[in-house]
């Protein structure tokens, strides 16, 4: 996917919720809600700070990440749906 | 089109949604909604930061870009409709 | 007109909408709405930034400019109506 | 009037609207509205910026100024009504 | 009164409105409203700016000051009512 | 009480209102309202400023302080109720 | 649990409320409310300040902390529920 997010934006492909307990039992997530996890497909250069520095992003392409329910904007690129959000809306990197 | 956006503003000409799946099938976009993609026709000098630096824009004339549904202000220049928005409202550059 | 706007303010005289297509046909603008274009008649010194610098204005007297519908404050100077706005409310310079 | 406004405040005595067209015809202003012009009677030292500098005021005692309708706080000093506002609420200096 | 306001706070004892015209006629102020003038009884060290400096207060103990109607918090110290406000809420020093 | 407030937070134990006039008469405070005074039991390192400095707190353990009615968050530590607030919510130090 | 919170985020595992008075009597907390205390399981690098510095976090893995009722976002990692919040939402470290 050929897309370059601007400044502190990140492009993420949502992943179905793979909820397994340590024992391996898959806990189905309520289908109604969009998964809050996904894989990073593109990362911007980072947020410009008021002193002119750029805050290096702490995520990279391929990272599995968790984010808030209402974060980002859905867009379609070549028929595929991705979500573009600010790095600040990403909670954590998994694994 | 002879227009110079100020500071961190960007002038964009909307492009009809060309939604093709990898297989080439065009997915018609709901006509009601204005396309959220367009081509950059003019770029300002960039945003002045509080330390006096200017944050160089990350888009250039001719870039194809995606932006939020409610971003920018519609204006007519020589009968042609364009939308003027802040660079921060642009999500990503395509291709 | 003898008026000196403060800091990042700009004084603008509204211009009737001259909407001509490339082919020259004038597209009447809805009379109800105030024109969003005008000519700059006075410019302040510019916005003071938090580091003490002053951000030089990017417009000059005589520039034709576009601005948002609800921008600025209408005032009457010697019977003539002008609008005073922040430079940040100006979208672009035309021509 | 012995009053010292603090930091970026300015004390202004309202002036009746003297609305004359170039031809000299006085255009009565709607009496209901308070005049938005006045004369500066006292000026503070200026706004402290986050880097410790003080932004020198661009108005001086005696300047005739225009300001927004809802700007400032009315106070009575020795029976005389004046309005105290931030320098940022002043639109422009006249004459 | 033994009280030390923090940072940019100021402690003020309200004064009854002494409204005298130049000719000396006392204009009773509407009793319902709390007086907007008072005497400074204690001053904090001043507001910490983002660069680590402290903005020196422009008021001192004993100053007669004017402030906005809804400024500050009423507190009782040894049975006496005073109002604690930010220096920024003080409009001007009188006399 | 073994508790370490973070950054610019302060832990305070509320004190019953001891309202005595200079003559020593205790003025009962309306029981309904929580006292707005208390004793500092723990102080954080202070607020991080945008230039990386830390603004040293102006209160210390043992100080008697006044604060706003709705300031802070009530928490129970070992059965004892204390209130944790930002240093900025403290109005003044008494005595 | 393999999770890396971004920038100034912290991952916390809620702890049941262990409310013991000095004498050791357990005070049951109202079951309805989620406990406002927990153990830190992961800490981000810290908050990027506008001058490019990073504010070192004041909590570490293993710390017992108190936080506000409505702080953070609940997420499930391998079937286990944790809450991810900004370091600024943490009130204090216990013990």
């Amino acid at each position: 996917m050929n897309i370059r997010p601007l400044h502190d934006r990140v492009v993420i492909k949502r992943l179905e919720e793979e909820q397994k307990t340590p024992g391996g039992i898959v806990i189905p997530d309520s289908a109604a809600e969009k998964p809050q996890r996904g894989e990073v497909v593109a990362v911007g250069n980072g947020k410009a700070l008021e002193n002119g520095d750029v805050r290096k992003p702490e995520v990279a392409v391929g990272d599995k990440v968790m984010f808030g329910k209402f974060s980002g904007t859905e867009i379609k690129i070549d028929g595929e749906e991705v979500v573009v959000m600010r790095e600040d809306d990403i909670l954590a990197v998994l694994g």
Side-chain angles (χ1 to χ4, degrees), chain A residues 14-37:
Chain A
R14 288 186 196 272
L15 295 173
E16 282 319 307
E17 292 297 345
E18 256 177 295
Q19 300 274 347
K20 268 185 270 121
T21 62
I25 303 160
V26 174
I27 306 163
D29 196 51
S30 67
E33 281 179 35
K34 292 205 174 191
Q36 289 175 252
R37 73 178 64 209

PDB file of all heavy atoms in Angstrom, chain A residues 14-37:
ATOM      1  N   ARG A  14      -6.668  -2.672  10.734  1.00  0.00           N
ATOM      2  CA  ARG A  14      -7.266  -3.324  11.912  1.00  0.00           C
ATOM      3  C   ARG A  14      -7.078  -4.846  11.841  1.00  0.00           C
ATOM      4  O   ARG A  14      -7.108  -5.433  10.751  1.00  0.00           O
ATOM      5  CB  ARG A  14      -8.776  -3.027  11.979  1.00  0.00           C
ATOM      6  CG  ARG A  14      -9.127  -1.600  12.373  1.00  0.00           C
ATOM      7  CD  ARG A  14     -10.626  -1.439  12.568  1.00  0.00           C
ATOM      8  NE  ARG A  14     -11.028  -0.040  12.587  1.00  0.00           N
ATOM      9  CZ  ARG A  14     -11.056   0.721  13.678  1.00  0.00           C
ATOM     10  NH1 ARG A  14     -10.690   0.224  14.854  1.00  0.00           N
ATOM     11  NH2 ARG A  14     -11.421   2.001  13.632  1.00  0.00           N
ATOM     12  N   LEU A  15      -6.859  -5.476  13.006  1.00  0.00           N
ATOM     13  CA  LEU A  15      -6.745  -6.941  13.094  1.00  0.00           C
ATOM     14  C   LEU A  15      -7.929  -7.453  13.892  1.00  0.00           C
ATOM     15  O   LEU A  15      -8.347  -6.825  14.874  1.00  0.00           O
ATOM     16  CB  LEU A  15      -5.439  -7.316  13.831  1.00  0.00           C
ATOM     17  CG  LEU A  15      -4.136  -6.947  13.137  1.00  0.00           C
ATOM     18  CD1 LEU A  15      -2.949  -7.233  14.062  1.00  0.00           C
ATOM     19  CD2 LEU A  15      -3.981  -7.747  11.834  1.00  0.00           C
ATOM     20  N   GLU A  16      -8.463  -8.608  13.453  1.00  0.00           N
ATOM     21  CA  GLU A  16      -9.537  -9.189  14.241  1.00  0.00           C
ATOM     22  C   GLU A  16      -9.009  -9.450  15.635  1.00  0.00           C
ATOM     23  O   GLU A  16      -7.841  -9.758  15.838  1.00  0.00           O
ATOM     24  CB  GLU A  16     -10.022 -10.506  13.579  1.00  0.00           C
ATOM     25  CG  GLU A  16     -10.937 -10.231  12.391  1.00  0.00           C
ATOM     26  CD  GLU A  16     -11.913  -9.077  12.685  1.00  0.00           C
ATOM     27  OE1 GLU A  16     -12.612  -9.139  13.735  1.00  0.00           O
ATOM     28  OE2 GLU A  16     -11.928  -8.086  11.938  1.00  0.00           O
ATOM     29  N   GLU A  17      -9.894  -9.367  16.636  1.00  0.00           N
ATOM     30  CA  GLU A  17      -9.482  -9.570  18.027  1.00  0.00           C
ATOM     31  C   GLU A  17      -9.100 -11.036  18.248  1.00  0.00           C
ATOM     32  O   GLU A  17      -9.909 -11.916  18.153  1.00  0.00           O
ATOM     33  CB  GLU A  17     -10.635  -9.205  18.977  1.00  0.00           C
ATOM     34  CG  GLU A  17     -10.990  -7.738  19.006  1.00  0.00           C
ATOM     35  CD  GLU A  17      -9.829  -6.851  19.528  1.00  0.00           C
ATOM     36  OE1 GLU A  17      -8.900  -7.426  20.104  1.00  0.00           O
ATOM     37  OE2 GLU A  17      -9.835  -5.657  19.300  1.00  0.00           O
ATOM     38  N   GLU A  18      -7.836 -11.322  18.519  1.00  0.00           N
ATOM     39  CA  GLU A  18      -7.410 -12.700  18.832  1.00  0.00           C
ATOM     40  C   GLU A  18      -7.264 -12.795  20.349  1.00  0.00           C
ATOM     41  O   GLU A  18      -6.230 -12.520  20.917  1.00  0.00           O
ATOM     42  CB  GLU A  18      -6.052 -12.965  18.187  1.00  0.00           C
ATOM     43  CG  GLU A  18      -6.081 -13.825  16.948  1.00  0.00           C
ATOM     44  CD  GLU A  18      -4.638 -13.891  16.431  1.00  0.00           C
ATOM     45  OE1 GLU A  18      -4.129 -12.813  16.031  1.00  0.00           O
ATOM     46  OE2 GLU A  18      -4.045 -14.964  16.530  1.00  0.00           O
ATOM     47  N   GLN A  19      -8.362 -13.062  20.970  1.00  0.00           N
ATOM     48  CA  GLN A  19      -8.359 -13.066  22.434  1.00  0.00           C
ATOM     49  C   GLN A  19      -8.150 -14.498  22.947  1.00  0.00           C
ATOM     50  O   GLN A  19      -9.055 -15.290  22.919  1.00  0.00           O
ATOM     51  CB  GLN A  19      -9.725 -12.561  22.931  1.00  0.00           C
ATOM     52  CG  GLN A  19     -10.076 -11.157  22.471  1.00  0.00           C
ATOM     53  CD  GLN A  19      -9.489 -10.119  23.433  1.00  0.00           C
ATOM     54  OE1 GLN A  19      -9.056 -10.497  24.520  1.00  0.00           O
ATOM     55  NE2 GLN A  19      -9.448  -8.863  23.011  1.00  0.00           N
ATOM     56  N   LYS A  20      -6.944 -14.804  23.332  1.00  0.00           N
ATOM     57  CA  LYS A  20      -6.723 -16.164  23.868  1.00  0.00           C
ATOM     58  C   LYS A  20      -6.266 -16.052  25.308  1.00  0.00           C
ATOM     59  O   LYS A  20      -5.440 -15.210  25.647  1.00  0.00           O
ATOM     60  CB  LYS A  20      -5.647 -16.893  23.044  1.00  0.00           C
ATOM     61  CG  LYS A  20      -6.235 -17.724  21.882  1.00  0.00           C
ATOM     62  CD  LYS A  20      -5.130 -18.517  21.180  1.00  0.00           C
ATOM     63  CE  LYS A  20      -4.545 -17.641  20.014  1.00  0.00           C
ATOM     64  NZ  LYS A  20      -3.137 -17.403  20.171  1.00  0.00           N
ATOM     65  N   THR A  21      -6.870 -16.826  26.190  1.00  0.00           N
ATOM     66  CA  THR A  21      -6.375 -16.855  27.576  1.00  0.00           C
ATOM     67  C   THR A  21      -5.034 -17.589  27.554  1.00  0.00           C
ATOM     68  O   THR A  21      -4.723 -18.275  26.577  1.00  0.00           O
ATOM     69  CB  THR A  21      -7.351 -17.666  28.461  1.00  0.00           C
ATOM     70  OG1 THR A  21      -7.350 -19.007  27.936  1.00  0.00           O
ATOM     71  CG2 THR A  21      -8.758 -17.104  28.380  1.00  0.00           C
ATOM     72  N   PRO A  22      -4.243 -17.483  28.656  1.00  0.00           N
ATOM     73  CA  PRO A  22      -2.960 -18.220  28.674  1.00  0.00           C
ATOM     74  C   PRO A  22      -3.173 -19.698  28.291  1.00  0.00           C
ATOM     75  O   PRO A  22      -2.379 -20.312  27.608  1.00  0.00           O
ATOM     76  CB  PRO A  22      -2.493 -18.054  30.126  1.00  0.00           C
ATOM     77  CG  PRO A  22      -3.135 -16.785  30.604  1.00  0.00           C
ATOM     78  CD  PRO A  22      -4.443 -16.704  29.869  1.00  0.00           C
ATOM     79  N   GLY A  23      -4.362 -20.201  28.666  1.00  0.00           N
ATOM     80  CA  GLY A  23      -4.646 -21.611  28.342  1.00  0.00           C
ATOM     81  C   GLY A  23      -5.013 -21.786  26.882  1.00  0.00           C
ATOM     82  O   GLY A  23      -5.221 -22.894  26.395  1.00  0.00           O
ATOM     83  N   GLY A  24      -5.119 -20.685  26.121  1.00  0.00           N
ATOM     84  CA  GLY A  24      -5.347 -20.829  24.671  1.00  0.00           C
ATOM     85  C   GLY A  24      -6.795 -20.719  24.250  1.00  0.00           C
ATOM     86  O   GLY A  24      -7.118 -20.799  23.073  1.00  0.00           O
ATOM     87  N   ILE A  25      -7.744 -20.480  25.197  1.00  0.00           N
ATOM     88  CA  ILE A  25      -9.176 -20.440  24.798  1.00  0.00           C
ATOM     89  C   ILE A  25      -9.453 -19.081  24.154  1.00  0.00           C
ATOM     90  O   ILE A  25      -9.130 -18.035  24.712  1.00  0.00           O
ATOM     91  CB  ILE A  25     -10.078 -20.605  26.046  1.00  0.00           C
ATOM     92  CG1 ILE A  25      -9.704 -21.925  26.760  1.00  0.00           C
ATOM     93  CG2 ILE A  25     -11.561 -20.631  25.648  1.00  0.00           C
ATOM     94  CD1 ILE A  25     -10.161 -21.957  28.214  1.00  0.00           C
ATOM     95  N   VAL A  26     -10.030 -19.103  22.953  1.00  0.00           N
ATOM     96  CA  VAL A  26     -10.328 -17.849  22.249  1.00  0.00           C
ATOM     97  C   VAL A  26     -11.620 -17.240  22.812  1.00  0.00           C
ATOM     98  O   VAL A  26     -12.634 -17.907  22.907  1.00  0.00           O
ATOM     99  CB  VAL A  26     -10.521 -18.100  20.730  1.00  0.00           C
ATOM    100  CG1 VAL A  26     -10.976 -16.785  20.072  1.00  0.00           C
ATOM    101  CG2 VAL A  26      -9.230 -18.595  20.110  1.00  0.00           C
ATOM    102  N   ILE A  27     -11.518 -15.963  23.242  1.00  0.00           N
ATOM    103  CA  ILE A  27     -12.712 -15.293  23.792  1.00  0.00           C
ATOM    104  C   ILE A  27     -13.258 -14.384  22.692  1.00  0.00           C
ATOM    105  O   ILE A  27     -12.620 -13.390  22.340  1.00  0.00           O
ATOM    106  CB  ILE A  27     -12.330 -14.429  25.026  1.00  0.00           C
ATOM    107  CG1 ILE A  27     -11.573 -15.307  26.053  1.00  0.00           C
ATOM    108  CG2 ILE A  27     -13.574 -13.801  25.669  1.00  0.00           C
ATOM    109  CD1 ILE A  27     -10.818 -14.492  27.076  1.00  0.00           C
ATOM    110  N   PRO A  28     -14.372 -14.803  22.108  1.00  0.00           N
ATOM    111  CA  PRO A  28     -14.909 -13.978  20.999  1.00  0.00           C
ATOM    112  C   PRO A  28     -15.216 -12.561  21.484  1.00  0.00           C
ATOM    113  O   PRO A  28     -15.730 -12.377  22.584  1.00  0.00           O
ATOM    114  CB  PRO A  28     -16.199 -14.708  20.601  1.00  0.00           C
ATOM    115  CG  PRO A  28     -16.577 -15.501  21.811  1.00  0.00           C
ATOM    116  CD  PRO A  28     -15.285 -15.886  22.489  1.00  0.00           C
ATOM    117  N   ASP A  29     -14.821 -11.605  20.669  1.00  0.00           N
ATOM    118  CA  ASP A  29     -15.087 -10.216  21.049  1.00  0.00           C
ATOM    119  C   ASP A  29     -16.432  -9.830  20.449  1.00  0.00           C
ATOM    120  O   ASP A  29     -16.838 -10.348  19.431  1.00  0.00           O
ATOM    121  CB  ASP A  29     -13.962  -9.319  20.447  1.00  0.00           C
ATOM    122  CG  ASP A  29     -13.969  -7.960  21.122  1.00  0.00           C
ATOM    123  OD1 ASP A  29     -13.960  -7.968  22.375  1.00  0.00           O
ATOM    124  OD2 ASP A  29     -14.029  -6.946  20.414  1.00  0.00           O
ATOM    125  N   SER A  30     -17.114  -8.937  21.077  1.00  0.00           N
ATOM    126  CA  SER A  30     -18.458  -8.570  20.572  1.00  0.00           C
ATOM    127  C   SER A  30     -18.269  -8.052  19.142  1.00  0.00           C
ATOM    128  O   SER A  30     -17.594  -7.056  18.899  1.00  0.00           O
ATOM    129  CB  SER A  30     -19.052  -7.491  21.463  1.00  0.00           C
ATOM    130  OG  SER A  30     -18.270  -6.318  21.298  1.00  0.00           O
ATOM    131  N   ALA A  31     -18.862  -8.742  18.205  1.00  0.00           N
ATOM    132  CA  ALA A  31     -18.653  -8.423  16.786  1.00  0.00           C
ATOM    133  C   ALA A  31     -19.023  -6.967  16.513  1.00  0.00           C
ATOM    134  O   ALA A  31     -18.442  -6.291  15.688  1.00  0.00           O
ATOM    135  CB  ALA A  31     -19.502  -9.361  15.934  1.00  0.00           C
ATOM    136  N   ALA A  32     -19.970  -6.448  17.270  1.00  0.00           N
ATOM    137  CA  ALA A  32     -20.462  -5.091  16.962  1.00  0.00           C
ATOM    138  C   ALA A  32     -19.307  -4.099  16.983  1.00  0.00           C
ATOM    139  O   ALA A  32     -19.157  -3.259  16.115  1.00  0.00           O
ATOM    140  CB  ALA A  32     -21.497  -4.710  18.008  1.00  0.00           C
ATOM    141  N   GLU A  33     -18.390  -4.246  17.968  1.00  0.00           N
ATOM    142  CA  GLU A  33     -17.376  -3.204  18.107  1.00  0.00           C
ATOM    143  C   GLU A  33     -16.199  -3.439  17.180  1.00  0.00           C
ATOM    144  O   GLU A  33     -15.737  -4.550  16.997  1.00  0.00           O
ATOM    145  CB  GLU A  33     -16.879  -3.179  19.557  1.00  0.00           C
ATOM    146  CG  GLU A  33     -17.867  -2.454  20.477  1.00  0.00           C
ATOM    147  CD  GLU A  33     -17.328  -2.481  21.910  1.00  0.00           C
ATOM    148  OE1 GLU A  33     -16.093  -2.409  22.047  1.00  0.00           O
ATOM    149  OE2 GLU A  33     -18.147  -2.652  22.819  1.00  0.00           O
ATOM    150  N   LYS A  34     -15.677  -2.368  16.603  1.00  0.00           N
ATOM    151  CA  LYS A  34     -14.508  -2.482  15.739  1.00  0.00           C
ATOM    152  C   LYS A  34     -13.315  -2.854  16.621  1.00  0.00           C
ATOM    153  O   LYS A  34     -13.170  -2.317  17.716  1.00  0.00           O
ATOM    154  CB  LYS A  34     -14.238  -1.139  15.050  1.00  0.00           C
ATOM    155  CG  LYS A  34     -15.317  -0.778  14.041  1.00  0.00           C
ATOM    156  CD  LYS A  34     -14.778   0.163  12.983  1.00  0.00           C
ATOM    157  CE  LYS A  34     -15.865   0.380  11.912  1.00  0.00           C
ATOM    158  NZ  LYS A  34     -15.339   1.054  10.730  1.00  0.00           N
ATOM    159  N   PRO A  35     -12.456  -3.749  16.135  1.00  0.00           N
ATOM    160  CA  PRO A  35     -11.279  -4.124  16.917  1.00  0.00           C
ATOM    161  C   PRO A  35     -10.424  -2.902  17.231  1.00  0.00           C
ATOM    162  O   PRO A  35     -10.329  -1.978  16.420  1.00  0.00           O
ATOM    163  CB  PRO A  35     -10.535  -5.104  16.008  1.00  0.00           C
ATOM    164  CG  PRO A  35     -11.120  -4.958  14.658  1.00  0.00           C
ATOM    165  CD  PRO A  35     -12.497  -4.411  14.821  1.00  0.00           C
ATOM    166  N   GLN A  36      -9.841  -2.875  18.433  1.00  0.00           N
ATOM    167  CA  GLN A  36      -8.987  -1.749  18.826  1.00  0.00           C
ATOM    168  C   GLN A  36      -7.536  -2.136  18.705  1.00  0.00           C
ATOM    169  O   GLN A  36      -6.687  -1.569  19.383  1.00  0.00           O
ATOM    170  CB  GLN A  36      -9.304  -1.384  20.276  1.00  0.00           C
ATOM    171  CG  GLN A  36     -10.653  -0.736  20.456  1.00  0.00           C
ATOM    172  CD  GLN A  36     -10.941  -0.529  21.935  1.00  0.00           C
ATOM    173  OE1 GLN A  36     -11.786  -1.226  22.488  1.00  0.00           O
ATOM    174  NE2 GLN A  36     -10.202   0.354  22.579  1.00  0.00           N
ATOM    175  N   ARG A  37      -7.298  -3.151  17.913  1.00  0.00           N
ATOM    176  CA  ARG A  37      -5.881  -3.471  17.683  1.00  0.00           C
ATOM    177  C   ARG A  37      -5.644  -3.572  16.190  1.00  0.00           C
ATOM    178  O   ARG A  37      -6.604  -3.766  15.419  1.00  0.00           O
ATOM    179  CB  ARG A  37      -5.491  -4.744  18.431  1.00  0.00           C
ATOM    180  CG  ARG A  37      -6.007  -6.042  17.859  1.00  0.00           C
ATOM    181  CD  ARG A  37      -5.532  -7.252  18.640  1.00  0.00           C
ATOM    182  NE  ARG A  37      -6.044  -7.244  19.997  1.00  0.00           N
ATOM    183  CZ  ARG A  37      -5.394  -7.812  21.029  1.00  0.00           C
ATOM    184  NH1 ARG A  37      -4.211  -8.362  20.862  1.00  0.00           N
ATOM    185  NH2 ARG A  37      -5.912  -7.791  22.237  1.00  0.00           N
TER     186      ARG A  37
END
